[in-house]
Amino acid sequence: QVQLVESGGGLVQPGGSLRLSCAASGSIFSIYAMGWYRQAPGKQRELVAGITSGGSTNYADSAKGRFTISRDKAKNTVYLQMNSLKPEDTAVYYCHVDLGRVDYWGQGTEVTVSS
């Protein structure tokens, strides 16, 4: 079993920044990829950013240039630095870990961008 603990969400004004963290623990042999998804009210969950074990990253168009995903392999932790936040970034952000044969989701952390 794997546990994912997310942190870093909150209320921020437009143009502000937040840093999300997700620490994975438990029965982890190797992590293929980690990522962040988000789900806004009334919308489907969507990929925000992902990072592979080799360090390759990919971003949603809406995140490019504003968000940066990074990973600390030793700590099995993935981060999402979010800058220049917009009201449309408001959503519940979920951490995702791909272990190859199985994947896990975090419980979600809420991000609200509002003045």
Side-chain angles (χ1 to χ4, degrees):
Q1 190 68 298
V2 173
Q3 296 78 42
L4 301 179
V5 178
E6 301 160 337
S7 61
L11 172 64
V12 64
Q13 292 186 341
S17 298
L18 283 175
R19 188 191 194 209
L20 306 183
S21 300
C22 173
S25 61
S27 302
I28 299 172
F29 179 69
S30 63
I31 297 177
Y32 281 34
M34 303 181 80
W36 289 95
Y37 289 71
R38 68 186 181 188
Q39 187 166 18
K43 295 187 177 181
Q44 290 188 332
R45 191 173 296 189
E46 62 177 3
L47 174 69
V48 178
I51 185 166
T52 69
S53 60
S56 298
T57 59
N58 64 296
Y59 295 90
D61 287 343
S62 59
K64 289 177 181 177
R66 299 188 300 128
F67 296 0
T68 302
I69 190 169
S70 61
R71 177 179 166 183
D72 185 331
K73 280 191 171 182
K75 297 181 179 180
N76 287 330
T77 299
V78 64
Y79 305 95
L80 184 68
Q81 177 66 42
M82 304 187 293
N83 299 326
S84 302
L85 283 161
K86 305 174 182 180
E88 50 263 43
D89 294 317
T90 295
V92 178
Y93 284 70
Y94 296 91
C95 174
H96 177 257
V97 173
D98 179 1
L99 303 184
R101 294 182 179 182
V102 65
D103 61 336
Y104 292 89
W105 292 91
Q107 79 284 359
T109 184
E110 192 165 356
V111 171
T112 302
V113 184
S114 175
S115 55

